[in-house]
Amino acid sequence: MGKNSSTLISDEWTGCYKRGWGKELVPEAFTHPAKVFFSLAEHIYAHLAEEGWIAEDDTVIDPFGGIGGCAYHALRHGLNFIGVELEPKFVDLAAQNIALWNSRYAGRFRRWGTAQVVQGDSRRLLDVVREAGCCVSSPPYGNATKNLDD
C-alpha cells in the first residue's frame, strides 16, 4: 500500500486455530486469559515472511506481549522480538517460556532469534521501546476497523 494510498488490502485467513500450544508453554502460562493461538501466530509470521516484510535479524515488537506467544515464532524466523506487557506476572511467565524455548531449540535450527518481554504500558510504547521494524500483535480489539479516508 502506497504512502498516500487509501486502498486497504485485506486477506482472509482460515484454519488459524488448528494447533494449540500443547507443551510449548510452561504450565502456569495457560492461566493468561488471552493467549494468542499457536496456529494464528504461526500464520502471521509465515505471511510476514512471504510478503518480505521481515528478514532475519529484524526487530519485531508486540505491544501486547502477554506470555510471549508471538516470541516463539519470531525466534523461529531468526528475529529479535521485544514484547511489552503491563502485568509483571505475565512478564515473568514470558521469560520462563522464552527460557524453555531457548533450552529446547536454540542451536537446532539454521536461524534462531532473540526474545524478551519487558514490563511497560504500550499506550506509551516509545517510552518503552525505541526501535522496531515491524509490529505484530493479537490485540483485544481485532475486529475494529478504520476508514483510511477519515
Side-chain angles (χ1 to χ4, degrees):
M1 180 165 47
K3 182 177 178 184
N4 296 317
S5 173
S6 63
T7 303
L8 178 64
I9 298 170
S10 178
D11 291 323
E12 186 173 322
W13 294 351
T14 59
C16 296
Y17 300 95
K18 290 180 179 177
R19 180 177 173 201
W21 282 98
K23 296 185 182 207
E24 293 296 348
L25 297 177
V26 296
E28 283 185 71
F30 287 97
T31 64
H32 190 283
K35 294 169 294 307
V36 65
F37 212 83
F38 184 94
S39 293
L40 176 60
E42 182 176 52
H43 193 96
I44 289 169
Y45 277 91
H47 183 73
L48 291 169
E50 289 166 8
E51 293 292 334
W53 296 335
I54 56 172
E56 194 170 348
D57 293 324
D58 280 354
T59 298
V60 173
I61 186 168
D62 182 348
F64 305 101
I67 50 98
C70 282
Y72 176 89
H73 301 286
L75 289 163
R76 294 281 311 264
H77 282 270
L79 302 168
N80 303 303
F81 177 91
I82 303 170
V84 179
E85 172 56 44
L86 186 61
E87 297 290 331
K89 67 182 176 181
F90 296 130
V91 173
D92 180 57
L93 289 171
Q96 291 178 47
N97 285 326
I98 292 165
L100 174 70
W101 302 325
N102 281 329
S103 71
R104 284 184 182 168
Y105 304 117
R108 295 186 180 165
F109 294 97
R110 185 185 66 77
R111 55 186 178 180
W112 187 257
T114 65
Q116 64 176 317
V117 174
V118 297
Q119 197 278 324
D121 187 338
S122 63
R123 291 174 294 182
R124 294 187 300 276
L125 197 56
L126 289 178
D127 293 340
V128 181
V129 179
R130 289 284 175 196
E131 185 177 323
C134 181
C135 182
V136 174
S137 184
S138 177
Y141 48 84
N143 290 330
T145 60
K146 178 175 180 354
N147 184 335
L148 295 176
D149 293 328
D150 288 346

